[in-house]
Amino acid sequence: MNFYNLLISSLRSLGKNKFRTFLTMLGIIIGVASVIVMQSIGKGVETSIKSDISSIGTNLIMVTPEAAEKNGVQQSAGSEQTLKIKDVEMIKNYCASVKYISPMIMSSSQIKYSSNNCRSSVMGVAAEYLQIRNIDVTIGAPFTNEDIEKSAKVCLIGKTVKNNLFKNDEDPIGKSIRIGTIPFTIIGILKEKGQSGFGQDQDDIVIAPYTSVQNRISGNDYLQQIFISAQSENEVDKAVQEISYCMRLSHKLKVGDVDDFSISTQSEIMQTMESVTGTLTAFLASIAAISLLVGGIGIMNIMFVSVTERTKEIGIRLAIGATSFDVLMQFLIEAIVLTLLAGILGLAFGFGLSQLISFLMNIEAVITVSSVVLSFSVCSFIGIFFGWYPARKAAKLNPIDALRYE
Amino acid sequence: MKSKIPIIKIIDLWKTYITGEVSFHALKGINLEIYEGEYVAIMGTSGSGKSTLMNILGCLDKATKGKYIFKDIDTSTKTNTDLAKVRRHNFGFVFQSYNLISRTSAFENVELPLLYGSRYSKSKRAEVVLKALEEVGLSDKIQSKPNELSGGQQQRVAIARSLVNNPSIIFADEPTGNLDTRTSFEIMSILQKLNNLGSTIILVTHENDIADFTKRKVVFRDGKIISDIENQNQKSAVEELANLPVENEIN
């Protein structure tokens, strides 16, 4: 019997028990659909986190001092007070792969305006920081290099700070607020950024020239971090090498001395993130795979029922000249057709469901070719694997026993 | 006719069924030769071994001991797949319980043997199937499913199916067992016609009336042949059918 006739005959025999066929397929349909949904949602979350990270800037490089050690007690990372403005100058002058560079000093201060006050992070940075971190100023203008030279008492405030200090839609531009006791003039409002991927409110911030923060608020000359952006994403590795060299030079480290600073890049964070979401996706997919397995067992069960039910038919086919291979193929193809049909339905169902979820949960559902290929090949495998045993049972029947079966 | 080489030759054939520690000899050393064009009735009461013999002759079952040579093939040396191919090209079967595939049209049932191992094109297959159905007088029931046909019609579909691959031998196992007299005679007249056209037919029956339509009667008892005689006065099924009293049919 050729393949076409086998296919037609298996479709027909599946069609004879439409409801049973559907119920049998349901296991696989649900399995495939869940593989697709899990994969697409997992990928969607990954993509959204990725775009979060690249909004920070994919060519971002951060330099932090290493943890200090006081009398043998290890302090927290970044506690060493070794990062100075001369390091920034050094990198700026000698590292060709660096596009923007900005020192960063962070302190937490009480902010006051008329009768309102709040506690916020005050960040002292260079003007280039806004470019490095892709921060836009919506109202007003950012501060300039001149402001930095003059340690000007100007600042930019985030949305949360604005809402805390200015009630009744008062225009904050040009108003003077007190950071600690020092008056600063607001020259701009930062574009709303919302929560970061880690749950921090990125709008609860005041940004001022680093010179102003050093000279007027913190009163010391060390930096907490240096923010750098490389010329391009591809030059990040090169820039890291250059920065490392410059920093060792600037800190007069000898060959063999351990770095007293650390350099981290977004791509490292990205990698970590990818591995986390990858694990998540794999976890979800493995749950889906279990339901595929259960579906496969359902197929095997129903194929056994089908073989028993049609023992007489098998006997007839054997009597009129079917070989046991013909019978084997008949039932195997039936099982494969059943699973593939279920696979296609599951695919369509999964596609629809992931679109729905992405619509409801506002996550972009990404259906990858690999997940489609995967679930399809798993389906075919299940069809062959779980169809084989019942089909073999059918093929091994003795013609006369099968004919006499009632 | 006897001068030719037999199409079937069996030598000292035994069939033993073993259930637990009890063994039962269904056939006890049978010797038989059947020639092309013969119409043989294998007779006997139930349990006499006649069906067992037919199953072995049809390569549906294997003998425990002895030789069965079909044409020049020693079947005892063949694998199951080889035997399936022997059946496919040489045998047609008609069973007591028709054995049609349910929920499948008459046409498809008859076409089935052609789907296994035949190289006919679809149109050629249709031609052969229609010819076989015409031969048994069912040209108007091509698309009917078995459950829409009467017993006699189903048996005629089965005969058409057994004819379609142009077999050397047609095996009919109690083909009239489930049918009334009139329908039985109809079926027998078809078989007789086929034999007259040259088909070799081996018919298993326990009814003498039915065996009267054949040319040779082989009688079994307890696994042995007790008589093997030519039927000198073969009856014509068509004539007998005409002689049946007309039934009072309700219009």
Side-chain angles (χ1 to χ4, degrees), chain A residues 375-390:
Chain A
S375 47
F376 244 89
S377 38
V378 168
C379 266
S380 329
F381 174 75
I382 284 176
I384 295 168
F385 184 79
F386 288 104
W388 174 260
Y389 194 66

Side-chain angles (χ1 to χ4, degrees), chain A residues 83-226:
Chain A
L83 229 47
K84 298 282 164 58
I85 203 69
K86 69 176 165 65
D87 299 330
V88 176
E89 297 300 329
M90 190 88 168
I91 293 168
K92 204 182 230 170
N93 293 337
Y94 296 106
C95 298
S97 303
V98 168
K99 194 174 180 188
Y100 299 119
I101 182 162
S102 164
M104 196 276 275
I105 311 147
M106 187 82 116
S107 77
S108 182
S109 292
Q110 208 66 26
I111 322 279
K112 281 166 277 190
Y113 173 73
S114 79
S115 60
N116 301 323
N117 75 92
C118 65
R119 193 162 186 89
S120 287
S121 304
V122 178
M123 199 184 246
V125 292
E128 288 178 357
Y129 180 78
L130 300 181
Q131 274 95 56
I132 297 171
R133 298 296 304 266
N134 294 332
I135 298 172
D136 290 331
V137 175
T138 44
I139 307 166
F143 46 81
T144 60
N145 286 331
E146 200 183 324
D147 291 329
I148 288 170
E149 276 169 37
K150 292 196 294 192
S151 306
K153 292 187 277 186
V154 292
C155 68
L156 306 166
I157 61 171
K159 184 93 180 209
T160 309
V161 176
K162 180 199 161 218
N163 291 344
N164 284 337
L165 297 183
F166 299 92
K167 315 286 178 187
N168 310 326
D169 287 337
E170 196 178 342
D171 182 14
I173 302 290
K175 300 277 160 33
S176 179
I177 56 171
R178 281 177 187 276
I179 300 175
T181 52
I182 319 295
F184 275 75
T185 306
I186 297 171
I187 57 167
I189 311 288
L190 301 172
K191 189 181 171 193
E192 196 172 350
K193 276 205 137 179
Q195 287 202 336
S196 75
F198 309 99
Q200 282 168 317
D201 182 0
Q202 299 180 92
D203 299 317
D204 187 9
I205 200 162
V206 175
I207 295 179
Y210 71 93
T211 45
S212 316
V213 176
Q214 272 187 336
N215 299 339
R216 300 179 195 280
I217 301 171
S218 67
N220 52 40
D221 68 340
Y222 64 90
L223 310 173
Q224 264 144 11
Q225 245 176 346
I226 302 173

Side-chain angles (χ1 to χ4, degrees), chain B residues 212-235:
Chain B
D212 281 345
F213 298 118
T214 65
K215 291 176 181 167
R216 179 181 169 191
K217 295 179 183 178
V218 179
V219 184
F220 272 71
R221 186 181 292 162
D222 298 333
K224 284 182 177 165
I225 295 174
I226 55 164
S227 83
D228 181 354
I229 49 159
E230 298 243 346
N231 187 6
Q232 297 297 342
N233 37 11
Q234 185 191 17
K235 284 187 193 162

Side-chain angles (χ1 to χ4, degrees), chain A residues 1-2 4-6 8 12 15-17 309 312-313 315-327 330 396 398-401 403-404 406, chain B residues 17 51-52 55 58-61 80-81 84-85 87-88 91 93 95 97 99-104 108-109 112-113 115-117 122 125 161 165:
Chain A
M1 213 176 203
N2 65 29
Y4 173 77
N5 288 324
L6 277 171
I8 295 295
R12 190 166 295 159
K16 280 174 192 167
N17 282 306
E309 230 178 39
K312 188 134 191 168
E313 180 191 321
I316 297 166
R317 287 176 184 270
L318 288 169
I320 62 174
T323 58
S324 39
F325 181 74
D326 288 323
V327 174
Q330 185 190 342
K396 276 178 130 182
N398 192 9
I400 196 67
D401 293 339
L403 268 175
R404 281 190 188 139
E406 288 300 335
Chain B
Y17 294 104
S51 287
T52 305
N55 291 333
C59 293
L60 294 171
D61 205 354
N80 287 339
T81 303
K85 286 176 181 165
R87 289 196 295 271
R88 173 189 290 178
F91 299 153
F93 290 95
F95 299 96
S97 52
N99 281 354
L100 300 178
I101 295 179
S102 56
R103 291 193 270 182
T104 305
E108 288 164 325
N109 262 296
L112 203 56
L115 293 178
Y116 291 111
K122 197 176 175 175
R125 278 206 304 272
R161 185 179 64 188
N165 58 347

Side-chain angles (χ1 to χ4, degrees), chain A residues 366-383:
Chain A
V366 182
I367 292 174
T368 55
V369 178
S370 71
S371 70
V372 172
V373 170
L374 178 85
S375 47
F376 244 89
S377 38
V378 168
C379 266
S380 329
F381 174 75
I382 284 176

Side-chain angles (χ1 to χ4, degrees), chain A residues 66 244 248 251 253 256-263:
Chain A
E66 266 310 343
S244 170
R248 290 185 68 89
H251 286 189
L253 296 177
D257 282 353
V258 183
D259 287 350
D260 61 351
F261 57 90
S262 73
I263 302 172

Side-chain angles (χ1 to χ4, degrees), chain B residues 131-220:
Chain B
K131 190 166 158 271
L133 281 167
E134 195 188 316
E135 199 128 7
V136 296
L138 279 180
S139 294
D140 54 336
K141 299 283 185 190
I142 291 164
Q143 289 308 327
S144 303
K145 308 258 164 77
N147 58 350
E148 297 159 359
L149 297 170
S150 70
Q153 286 169 331
Q154 288 188 53
Q155 196 59 295
R156 284 197 263 172
V157 173
I159 293 172
R161 185 179 64 188
S162 74
L163 286 176
V164 80
N165 58 347
N166 203 15
S168 312
I169 302 175
I170 294 172
F171 292 100
D173 188 358
E174 305 260 14
T176 60
N178 290 0
L179 302 172
D180 60 47
T181 313
R182 173 171 287 275
T183 323
S184 295
F185 286 7
E186 280 170 11
I187 294 297
M188 290 316 291
S189 61
I190 293 170
L191 290 176
Q192 206 164 41
K193 184 181 82 182
L194 291 172
N195 176 247
N196 291 337
L197 291 170
S199 294
T200 310
I201 300 176
I202 298 175
L203 176 94
V204 170
T205 183
H206 63 274
E207 289 172 84
N208 219 348
D209 290 356
I210 297 298
D212 281 345
F213 298 118
T214 65
K215 291 176 181 167
R216 179 181 169 191
K217 295 179 183 178
V218 179
V219 184
F220 272 71

